[in-house]
Amino acid sequence: MKKRILIVSQHFWPENFRISDIAQGFVENDIEVDVLCGLPNYPNGIIPEGYGYFKNTKQDYHGAKVYRSWEITRKGNSSLRIFLNYISFPFFATFKSIGLMGKKYDAVFCYETSPVYMIFPAIFYSKIKKVPLTTYVLDLWPENFYSVVDIKNPFLRRICEVTSHWHYRKSDKLIAMSPSLKEKLSEITAKADDKIATIPQYCEKFYEQEIVDETLTEKYKDYFKVVYAGNISPAQNLEVAVDSAVLLKNDGITDVKFIIVGDGMSRRDIEKYAEEQGVKEYFDFLGSKPVTDMPLYHTLADCLLAPLAKSDLIGLTIPAKVTSYMAGRKPVITCIDGEGSNVIAKANGGLTGESGNSRQLYENIKTLYSMPEAERKQLGENAFRYHLSHHERNKVLKQLIDFILN
């Protein structure tokens, strides 16, 4: 008899999150999959055409049945709207899960990005139905939350910490992306060693493609191309790229172009900051693109940029973009403390730097800028080989399935 898994994740297709491919991968491995998720509106808070509170609330995604719960959208990306978005999904999804009580699952699997509170419907269902819950911790809370919303009040910080840790403790099993994150989760939850697995994120197979776009090649042929692809929020700290561009300009290097592919709550602020600092000409903001187009921009790049805001505990995780970049065969430049830089150093797949250190980023860009193309190519190939050995999709999927289904 086929195994059955209920996936709980606030974010799912058509939003660009890896859980969509994981669901498809489970189906490919002969597992029946249901998905409880929210209304698509990330990152700009706008519900795409064809979706709504009463439209397309039940769908099929490559064989997985999708059930959509209501949520208050992030529209405007103000602190209030993000807060309402964070608390509305677990509220409505818990009621939505009652409609799934008649189904029988072998496991519940929560793919926990932000917010941590998306785990609550999974906890509710797993406890009522006595089905084991495994949570994949992608964003460690409350630390990730603090990188986006600056909370100073000790009482509010304590509430965030207590409620976040409660959700991790109530999960039967946890998956960490790195050994250091596993150690932290063990400290938070006091779970036995065999209840917390270390499994890295993988990226979809299409990231391994090299696709030359002649129009893009022609447009940027006279530039050294630093590509950033992903969400633009305070957690990414793209100000560091602007500050490094100022140093490049002061050094007389004018043929570097930062190509920013993505959108998010901080995009306008970063554009304004680049203009204020007099380096607007160093940046092209291309907006959101389909995730399947990312290989075009990876192929275009001379190097791929991965910054992250400074936080001791955020450094325990490896950002998804780092694993995607490593599949792209180009050198990766990090401005990340901890695991995100460690993995690039282990692979010898680029140059690493500390979070927020714009001078270090400037020096690393200059180093790659001056490096012979063959040496840059070798760094990219090193990153790709490490990807195949440690982050390849089918290998990681097997690890996930084995751990979730015990």
Side-chain angles (χ1 to χ4, degrees), residues 385-404:
R385 282 201 299 272
Y386 191 95
H387 154 75
L388 291 179
S389 297
H390 297 84
H391 301 153
E392 195 275 328
R393 177 185 187 262
N394 296 323
K395 290 181 181 179
V396 177
L397 269 173
K398 185 179 186 308
Q399 294 176 61
L400 285 173
I401 292 168
D402 287 348
F403 186 68
I404 293 167

PDB file of all heavy atoms in Angstrom, residues 385-404:
ATOM      1  N   ARG A 385      30.615  20.649  -8.532  1.00  0.00           N
ATOM      2  CA  ARG A 385      30.963  19.295  -8.099  1.00  0.00           C
ATOM      3  C   ARG A 385      30.495  19.059  -6.655  1.00  0.00           C
ATOM      4  O   ARG A 385      30.010  17.974  -6.328  1.00  0.00           O
ATOM      5  CB  ARG A 385      32.467  19.056  -8.232  1.00  0.00           C
ATOM      6  CG  ARG A 385      32.929  18.774  -9.644  1.00  0.00           C
ATOM      7  CD  ARG A 385      34.285  18.056  -9.648  1.00  0.00           C
ATOM      8  NE  ARG A 385      35.315  18.871  -9.019  1.00  0.00           N
ATOM      9  CZ  ARG A 385      36.058  19.768  -9.664  1.00  0.00           C
ATOM     10  NH1 ARG A 385      35.877  19.957 -10.958  1.00  0.00           N
ATOM     11  NH2 ARG A 385      36.979  20.455  -9.032  1.00  0.00           N
ATOM     12  N   TYR A 386      30.666  20.067  -5.814  1.00  0.00           N
ATOM     13  CA  TYR A 386      30.200  19.946  -4.423  1.00  0.00           C
ATOM     14  C   TYR A 386      28.678  19.785  -4.397  1.00  0.00           C
ATOM     15  O   TYR A 386      28.146  18.974  -3.629  1.00  0.00           O
ATOM     16  CB  TYR A 386      30.614  21.175  -3.623  1.00  0.00           C
ATOM     17  CG  TYR A 386      30.406  21.031  -2.131  1.00  0.00           C
ATOM     18  CD1 TYR A 386      31.447  20.615  -1.302  1.00  0.00           C
ATOM     19  CD2 TYR A 386      29.172  21.305  -1.546  1.00  0.00           C
ATOM     20  CE1 TYR A 386      31.272  20.478   0.068  1.00  0.00           C
ATOM     21  CE2 TYR A 386      28.978  21.166  -0.180  1.00  0.00           C
ATOM     22  CZ  TYR A 386      30.031  20.757   0.620  1.00  0.00           C
ATOM     23  OH  TYR A 386      29.834  20.618   1.970  1.00  0.00           O
ATOM     24  N   HIS A 387      28.007  20.540  -5.243  1.00  0.00           N
ATOM     25  CA  HIS A 387      26.545  20.415  -5.357  1.00  0.00           C
ATOM     26  C   HIS A 387      26.137  18.985  -5.702  1.00  0.00           C
ATOM     27  O   HIS A 387      25.246  18.408  -5.071  1.00  0.00           O
ATOM     28  CB  HIS A 387      26.030  21.384  -6.425  1.00  0.00           C
ATOM     29  CG  HIS A 387      24.748  20.976  -7.069  1.00  0.00           C
ATOM     30  ND1 HIS A 387      23.523  21.090  -6.445  1.00  0.00           N
ATOM     31  CD2 HIS A 387      24.493  20.405  -8.285  1.00  0.00           C
ATOM     32  CE1 HIS A 387      22.573  20.632  -7.244  1.00  0.00           C
ATOM     33  NE2 HIS A 387      23.133  20.204  -8.359  1.00  0.00           N
ATOM     34  N   LEU A 388      26.796  18.397  -6.687  1.00  0.00           N
ATOM     35  CA  LEU A 388      26.444  17.038  -7.097  1.00  0.00           C
ATOM     36  C   LEU A 388      26.706  16.026  -5.976  1.00  0.00           C
ATOM     37  O   LEU A 388      25.962  15.062  -5.808  1.00  0.00           O
ATOM     38  CB  LEU A 388      27.237  16.641  -8.346  1.00  0.00           C
ATOM     39  CG  LEU A 388      26.871  17.361  -9.646  1.00  0.00           C
ATOM     40  CD1 LEU A 388      27.772  16.882 -10.783  1.00  0.00           C
ATOM     41  CD2 LEU A 388      25.395  17.147 -10.020  1.00  0.00           C
ATOM     42  N   SER A 389      27.740  16.260  -5.193  1.00  0.00           N
ATOM     43  CA  SER A 389      28.087  15.320  -4.124  1.00  0.00           C
ATOM     44  C   SER A 389      27.196  15.452  -2.898  1.00  0.00           C
ATOM     45  O   SER A 389      26.903  14.451  -2.232  1.00  0.00           O
ATOM     46  CB  SER A 389      29.546  15.539  -3.690  1.00  0.00           C
ATOM     47  OG  SER A 389      30.423  15.268  -4.740  1.00  0.00           O
ATOM     48  N   HIS A 390      26.739  16.670  -2.591  1.00  0.00           N
ATOM     49  CA  HIS A 390      26.065  16.908  -1.318  1.00  0.00           C
ATOM     50  C   HIS A 390      24.629  17.405  -1.425  1.00  0.00           C
ATOM     51  O   HIS A 390      23.838  17.189  -0.505  1.00  0.00           O
ATOM     52  CB  HIS A 390      26.864  17.932  -0.492  1.00  0.00           C
ATOM     53  CG  HIS A 390      28.232  17.469  -0.119  1.00  0.00           C
ATOM     54  ND1 HIS A 390      29.310  17.603  -0.965  1.00  0.00           N
ATOM     55  CD2 HIS A 390      28.696  16.882   1.013  1.00  0.00           C
ATOM     56  CE1 HIS A 390      30.391  17.113  -0.373  1.00  0.00           C
ATOM     57  NE2 HIS A 390      30.053  16.675   0.816  1.00  0.00           N
ATOM     58  N   HIS A 391      24.271  18.093  -2.521  1.00  0.00           N
ATOM     59  CA  HIS A 391      22.966  18.754  -2.591  1.00  0.00           C
ATOM     60  C   HIS A 391      22.110  18.273  -3.757  1.00  0.00           C
ATOM     61  O   HIS A 391      21.072  18.889  -4.031  1.00  0.00           O
ATOM     62  CB  HIS A 391      23.149  20.279  -2.726  1.00  0.00           C
ATOM     63  CG  HIS A 391      23.917  20.894  -1.605  1.00  0.00           C
ATOM     64  ND1 HIS A 391      24.652  22.058  -1.755  1.00  0.00           N
ATOM     65  CD2 HIS A 391      24.072  20.529  -0.313  1.00  0.00           C
ATOM     66  CE1 HIS A 391      25.226  22.380  -0.608  1.00  0.00           C
ATOM     67  NE2 HIS A 391      24.901  21.458   0.279  1.00  0.00           N
ATOM     68  N   GLU A 392      22.522  17.237  -4.437  1.00  0.00           N
ATOM     69  CA  GLU A 392      21.785  16.797  -5.624  1.00  0.00           C
ATOM     70  C   GLU A 392      20.373  16.338  -5.237  1.00  0.00           C
ATOM     71  O   GLU A 392      20.169  15.662  -4.238  1.00  0.00           O
ATOM     72  CB  GLU A 392      22.553  15.681  -6.320  1.00  0.00           C
ATOM     73  CG  GLU A 392      22.078  15.386  -7.731  1.00  0.00           C
ATOM     74  CD  GLU A 392      20.900  14.427  -7.770  1.00  0.00           C
ATOM     75  OE1 GLU A 392      20.827  13.550  -6.881  1.00  0.00           O
ATOM     76  OE2 GLU A 392      20.073  14.540  -8.687  1.00  0.00           O
ATOM     77  N   ARG A 393      19.408  16.715  -6.051  1.00  0.00           N
ATOM     78  CA  ARG A 393      17.982  16.552  -5.727  1.00  0.00           C
ATOM     79  C   ARG A 393      17.607  15.145  -5.301  1.00  0.00           C
ATOM     80  O   ARG A 393      17.001  14.940  -4.232  1.00  0.00           O
ATOM     81  CB  ARG A 393      17.142  16.964  -6.936  1.00  0.00           C
ATOM     82  CG  ARG A 393      15.624  16.772  -6.753  1.00  0.00           C
ATOM     83  CD  ARG A 393      14.903  17.096  -8.053  1.00  0.00           C
ATOM     84  NE  ARG A 393      13.472  17.100  -7.908  1.00  0.00           N
ATOM     85  CZ  ARG A 393      12.672  16.083  -8.219  1.00  0.00           C
ATOM     86  NH1 ARG A 393      13.225  14.943  -8.673  1.00  0.00           N
ATOM     87  NH2 ARG A 393      11.363  16.161  -8.081  1.00  0.00           N
ATOM     88  N   ASN A 394      17.903  14.159  -6.110  1.00  0.00           N
ATOM     89  CA  ASN A 394      17.417  12.809  -5.835  1.00  0.00           C
ATOM     90  C   ASN A 394      18.067  12.198  -4.597  1.00  0.00           C
ATOM     91  O   ASN A 394      17.429  11.448  -3.853  1.00  0.00           O
ATOM     92  CB  ASN A 394      17.623  11.913  -7.064  1.00  0.00           C
ATOM     93  CG  ASN A 394      16.792  12.388  -8.246  1.00  0.00           C
ATOM     94  OD1 ASN A 394      15.667  12.847  -8.070  1.00  0.00           O
ATOM     95  ND2 ASN A 394      17.345  12.306  -9.441  1.00  0.00           N
ATOM     96  N   LYS A 395      19.330  12.544  -4.357  1.00  0.00           N
ATOM     97  CA  LYS A 395      19.998  12.074  -3.141  1.00  0.00           C
ATOM     98  C   LYS A 395      19.325  12.632  -1.899  1.00  0.00           C
ATOM     99  O   LYS A 395      19.070  11.918  -0.918  1.00  0.00           O
ATOM    100  CB  LYS A 395      21.475  12.482  -3.154  1.00  0.00           C
ATOM    101  CG  LYS A 395      22.343  11.763  -4.160  1.00  0.00           C
ATOM    102  CD  LYS A 395      23.786  12.243  -4.058  1.00  0.00           C
ATOM    103  CE  LYS A 395      24.680  11.536  -5.078  1.00  0.00           C
ATOM    104  NZ  LYS A 395      26.078  12.025  -4.998  1.00  0.00           N
ATOM    105  N   VAL A 396      19.047  13.936  -1.918  1.00  0.00           N
ATOM    106  CA  VAL A 396      18.456  14.579  -0.742  1.00  0.00           C
ATOM    107  C   VAL A 396      17.016  14.135  -0.553  1.00  0.00           C
ATOM    108  O   VAL A 396      16.560  13.928   0.588  1.00  0.00           O
ATOM    109  CB  VAL A 396      18.561  16.114  -0.853  1.00  0.00           C
ATOM    110  CG1 VAL A 396      17.872  16.788   0.332  1.00  0.00           C
ATOM    111  CG2 VAL A 396      20.024  16.537  -0.917  1.00  0.00           C
ATOM    112  N   LEU A 397      16.270  13.971  -1.640  1.00  0.00           N
ATOM    113  CA  LEU A 397      14.897  13.482  -1.529  1.00  0.00           C
ATOM    114  C   LEU A 397      14.841  12.135  -0.818  1.00  0.00           C
ATOM    115  O   LEU A 397      13.978  11.894   0.026  1.00  0.00           O
ATOM    116  CB  LEU A 397      14.265  13.349  -2.922  1.00  0.00           C
ATOM    117  CG  LEU A 397      13.512  14.552  -3.466  1.00  0.00           C
ATOM    118  CD1 LEU A 397      13.112  14.306  -4.914  1.00  0.00           C
ATOM    119  CD2 LEU A 397      12.276  14.881  -2.631  1.00  0.00           C
ATOM    120  N   LYS A 398      15.768  11.246  -1.160  1.00  0.00           N
ATOM    121  CA  LYS A 398      15.800   9.930  -0.500  1.00  0.00           C
ATOM    122  C   LYS A 398      16.036  10.093   0.996  1.00  0.00           C
ATOM    123  O   LYS A 398      15.387   9.401   1.801  1.00  0.00           O
ATOM    124  CB  LYS A 398      16.885   9.056  -1.135  1.00  0.00           C
ATOM    125  CG  LYS A 398      16.895   7.622  -0.570  1.00  0.00           C
ATOM    126  CD  LYS A 398      17.955   6.779  -1.233  1.00  0.00           C
ATOM    127  CE  LYS A 398      17.854   5.322  -0.784  1.00  0.00           C
ATOM    128  NZ  LYS A 398      17.835   5.159   0.685  1.00  0.00           N
ATOM    129  N   GLN A 399      16.945  10.984   1.363  1.00  0.00           N
ATOM    130  CA  GLN A 399      17.194  11.219   2.802  1.00  0.00           C
ATOM    131  C   GLN A 399      15.937  11.742   3.497  1.00  0.00           C
ATOM    132  O   GLN A 399      15.597  11.297   4.601  1.00  0.00           O
ATOM    133  CB  GLN A 399      18.328  12.229   2.973  1.00  0.00           C
ATOM    134  CG  GLN A 399      19.692  11.763   2.506  1.00  0.00           C
ATOM    135  CD  GLN A 399      20.731  12.864   2.636  1.00  0.00           C
ATOM    136  OE1 GLN A 399      21.007  13.351   3.728  1.00  0.00           O
ATOM    137  NE2 GLN A 399      21.310  13.277   1.528  1.00  0.00           N
ATOM    138  N   LEU A 400      15.244  12.671   2.852  1.00  0.00           N
ATOM    139  CA  LEU A 400      14.021  13.229   3.435  1.00  0.00           C
ATOM    140  C   LEU A 400      12.966  12.144   3.644  1.00  0.00           C
ATOM    141  O   LEU A 400      12.360  12.025   4.704  1.00  0.00           O
ATOM    142  CB  LEU A 400      13.471  14.343   2.524  1.00  0.00           C
ATOM    143  CG  LEU A 400      14.184  15.678   2.515  1.00  0.00           C
ATOM    144  CD1 LEU A 400      13.606  16.571   1.437  1.00  0.00           C
ATOM    145  CD2 LEU A 400      14.088  16.354   3.871  1.00  0.00           C
ATOM    146  N   ILE A 401      12.736  11.356   2.596  1.00  0.00           N
ATOM    147  CA  ILE A 401      11.704  10.314   2.668  1.00  0.00           C
ATOM    148  C   ILE A 401      12.031   9.285   3.739  1.00  0.00           C
ATOM    149  O   ILE A 401      11.164   8.891   4.540  1.00  0.00           O
ATOM    150  CB  ILE A 401      11.535   9.650   1.276  1.00  0.00           C
ATOM    151  CG1 ILE A 401      10.921  10.658   0.294  1.00  0.00           C
ATOM    152  CG2 ILE A 401      10.655   8.411   1.380  1.00  0.00           C
ATOM    153  CD1 ILE A 401      10.975  10.208  -1.145  1.00  0.00           C
ATOM    154  N   ASP A 402      13.290   8.860   3.777  1.00  0.00           N
ATOM    155  CA  ASP A 402      13.692   7.862   4.783  1.00  0.00           C
ATOM    156  C   ASP A 402      13.475   8.382   6.199  1.00  0.00           C
ATOM    157  O   ASP A 402      13.004   7.635   7.081  1.00  0.00           O
ATOM    158  CB  ASP A 402      15.173   7.498   4.589  1.00  0.00           C
ATOM    159  CG  ASP A 402      15.405   6.638   3.354  1.00  0.00           C
ATOM    160  OD1 ASP A 402      14.420   6.147   2.784  1.00  0.00           O
ATOM    161  OD2 ASP A 402      16.576   6.475   2.964  1.00  0.00           O
ATOM    162  N   PHE A 403      13.789   9.649   6.436  1.00  0.00           N
ATOM    163  CA  PHE A 403      13.661  10.198   7.798  1.00  0.00           C
ATOM    164  C   PHE A 403      12.199  10.459   8.159  1.00  0.00           C
ATOM    165  O   PHE A 403      11.755  10.127   9.267  1.00  0.00           O
ATOM    166  CB  PHE A 403      14.464  11.487   7.920  1.00  0.00           C
ATOM    167  CG  PHE A 403      14.502  12.025   9.325  1.00  0.00           C
ATOM    168  CD1 PHE A 403      15.171  11.361  10.335  1.00  0.00           C
ATOM    169  CD2 PHE A 403      13.847  13.214   9.638  1.00  0.00           C
ATOM    170  CE1 PHE A 403      15.202  11.852  11.633  1.00  0.00           C
ATOM    171  CE2 PHE A 403      13.873  13.723  10.931  1.00  0.00           C
ATOM    172  CZ  PHE A 403      14.542  13.044  11.930  1.00  0.00           C
ATOM    173  N   ILE A 404      11.440  11.021   7.224  1.00  0.00           N
ATOM    174  CA  ILE A 404      10.037  11.356   7.520  1.00  0.00           C
ATOM    175  C   ILE A 404       9.226  10.099   7.773  1.00  0.00           C
ATOM    176  O   ILE A 404       8.404  10.040   8.691  1.00  0.00           O
ATOM    177  CB  ILE A 404       9.423  12.165   6.342  1.00  0.00           C
ATOM    178  CG1 ILE A 404      10.082  13.538   6.233  1.00  0.00           C
ATOM    179  CG2 ILE A 404       7.904  12.319   6.519  1.00  0.00           C
ATOM    180  CD1 ILE A 404       9.772  14.257   4.951  1.00  0.00           C
TER     181      ILE A 404
END
